[in-house]
Amino acid sequence: MSSPADHPEPDPFSPAEFDAWRGLLRLHATVTGELQGKLADEHAISLAEYAVLITLVTEPDGLRMTDLAARRLITPSGISRVVDKLERRGLVARQEDPSDRRGFLSVLTEKGLRKLREAQVTHHAHVRETYLERLTEREQKTLARLLEKAMPGVVSSAVWPPGAVPAPRAPG
Amino acid sequence: MSSPADHPEPDPFSPAEFDAWRGLLRLHATVTGELQGKLADEHAISLAEYAVLITLVTEPDGLRMTDLAARRLITPSGISRVVDKLERRGLVARQEDPSDRRGFLSVLTEKGLRKLREAQVTHHAHVRETYLERLTEREQKTLARLLEKAMPGVVSSAVWPPGAVPAPRAPG
DNA sequence: CAAGATTGAGAGGTCAATCTTC
DNA sequence: GAAGATTGACCTCTCAATCTTG
């Protein structure tokens, strides 16, 4: 016969490690799971699509597909399909990259901007209600500082993973 | 013409809110993304499968499919398919629920326990290297306390969502 | 008829292969 | 030949429908 007692846990998590890991997983799954549903019901948009729109709104010149993929932490293949869907709905547009004929730039359209601003109300309200609202500003800052310490750059870096998108090219 | 300036952000996140939300998303995506790859390469197991095994190891009598789904925050449909895969590989077994002939219990097999213990080494090492290791025990506790305050029960509740799994039935 | 579990169809992602341009 | 983008094959999960038992 055999039981879990015969196969002891190798190098188990301490209680503090266990709580910090499980809490992160559960909170993330709960917030994003419900958020997916609300965005789909109220705005007919997925969380992945929302993430693409919110990434592009800060890039008036657009982003190359590969860079957009790196920012969203999905593959070029996956980005190509998300952008396909958004383009069919007129929320983003593909433009040829004038500096490299292999590349395409995804840019937010006027319609995409309006859609983003509508969806953002739902998004922010939900994230606040289920996560941020019960923390003081000081606690939010402490939490962000701990996340940054756990994985340097994860909060402070303008892009993630760091260095995925090069600094703006010097003119000429 | 129109530009983002004409569609101002409605009720935007404060810097503290923004950092706390973005840091959570990025850290989660980075840790779990790489973890998926390592578990697949080294143990031929997905993160969803690992999560099922780690859930069942604490339940010597097994869990009903619906309860297992609630614990893993996926649908009964999804659990049915994951358990199918694990059962074909002999890592879990389905047993008829003696108290309700509609139900089935998923139980961990001896082989599943061995696989879990092997995978756990990879899992814990990765989570420590990319997340827990740069925090002191005190910081890990602070982080867990903040997550718990943000979403009460998310750390402290033995099961999540709370109440998904009923207390053990009284004998008889 | 309600609840537990499963199945078919579809959405959304990955990897490997392909095409075009550097 | 390498890099950027896309497509085909496949995998996993969800939703809606179905089957069985309470």
Side-chain angles (χ1 to χ4, degrees):
Chain A
M1 292 300 293
S2 173
S3 77
D6 302 325
H7 294 268
E9 231 184 316
D11 202 8
F13 280 154
S14 70
E17 288 179 317
F18 187 79
D19 287 355
W21 177 233
R22 191 171 72 169
L24 181 83
L25 289 181
R26 285 178 169 181
L27 191 145
H28 179 273
T30 305
V31 176
T32 60
E34 296 174 355
L35 183 52
Q36 292 259 16
K38 281 194 187 177
L39 288 177
D41 292 347
E42 300 176 17
H43 304 285
I45 201 173
S46 73
L47 189 48
E49 290 166 341
Y50 177 87
V52 166
L53 298 184
I54 199 75
T55 301
L56 291 180
V57 75
T58 60
E59 301 284 343
D61 297 334
L63 272 181
R64 293 167 55 201
M65 307 300 277
T66 303
D67 296 333
L68 183 53
R71 293 267 200 111
R72 301 295 8 130
L73 294 174
I74 67 178
T75 62
S77 170
I79 265 300
S80 188
R81 297 189 144 97
V82 177
V83 171
D84 275 352
K85 283 193 58 182
L86 291 170
E87 192 174 30
R88 272 184 243 120
R89 294 173 61 183
L91 303 178
V92 307
R94 273 187 179 84
Q95 292 179 356
E96 296 186 355
D97 182 341
S99 69
D100 185 339
R101 246 170 286 171
R102 292 173 302 181
F104 288 90
L105 300 170
S106 293
V107 297
L108 196 60
T109 63
E110 162 70 17
K111 189 176 172 187
L113 178 57
R114 284 200 306 271
K115 169 63 80 176
L116 172 63
R117 291 314 189 202
E118 292 166 16
Q120 214 167 350
V121 176
T122 298
H123 178 276
H124 284 29
H126 178 77
V127 174
R128 286 194 173 109
E129 285 167 16
T130 59
Y131 171 39
L132 297 170
E133 196 172 83
R134 287 177 202 83
L135 302 178
T136 65
E137 183 182 2
R138 179 182 182 77
E139 288 167 336
Q140 290 168 7
K141 286 182 181 172
T142 301
L143 181 45
R145 184 179 57 75
L146 290 172
L147 297 175
E148 172 72 15
K149 190 180 181 206
M151 186 178 281
V154 78
V155 172
S156 64
S157 172
V159 297
W160 188 258
V165 179
R169 289 179 287 279
Chain B
M1 293 300 294
S2 173
S3 77
D6 301 326
H7 295 268
E9 230 184 316
D11 203 8
F13 280 154
S14 70
E17 287 180 318
F18 187 79
D19 287 354
W21 177 233
R22 189 171 72 168
L24 181 85
L25 289 181
R26 285 178 171 182
L27 192 145
H28 178 274
T30 304
V31 176
T32 60
E34 297 175 354
L35 183 51
Q36 292 260 16
K38 281 194 187 177
L39 288 176
D41 292 346
E42 300 176 18
H43 304 285
I45 202 174
S46 72
L47 189 48
E49 289 166 342
Y50 177 87
V52 166
L53 299 183
I54 199 75
T55 301
L56 291 179
V57 74
T58 60
E59 301 284 342
D61 296 334
L63 273 181
R64 294 167 56 203
M65 307 300 277
T66 304
D67 296 333
L68 183 53
R71 293 268 202 113
R72 300 295 7 130
L73 294 173
I74 65 176
T75 61
S77 170
I79 265 300
S80 188
R81 299 187 144 99
V82 177
V83 171
D84 275 352
K85 281 193 58 182
L86 291 170
E87 192 174 29
R88 271 184 243 119
R89 295 173 59 183
L91 303 178
V92 308
R94 273 187 178 84
Q95 291 179 356
E96 296 185 356
D97 183 342
S99 69
D100 184 340
R101 246 171 283 173
R102 293 173 301 179
F104 289 89
L105 301 170
S106 293
V107 297
L108 195 61
T109 63
E110 162 69 17
K111 188 176 172 188
L113 178 58
R114 284 200 305 271
K115 169 65 78 176
L116 171 63
R117 291 315 188 201
E118 292 166 17
Q120 215 167 349
V121 176
T122 298
H123 178 276
H124 284 30
H126 178 77
V127 174
R128 285 194 174 108
E129 286 167 18
T130 59
Y131 169 41
L132 297 170
E133 197 172 81
R134 288 176 202 83
L135 301 178
T136 66
E137 184 182 2
R138 179 180 182 77
E139 288 168 336
Q140 290 167 7
K141 286 182 181 171
T142 301
L143 180 46
R145 185 179 57 73
L146 290 172
L147 296 175
E148 172 72 14
K149 192 182 181 206
M151 187 178 281
V154 79
V155 172
S156 65
S157 173
V159 296
W160 188 259
V165 179
R169 289 179 287 279

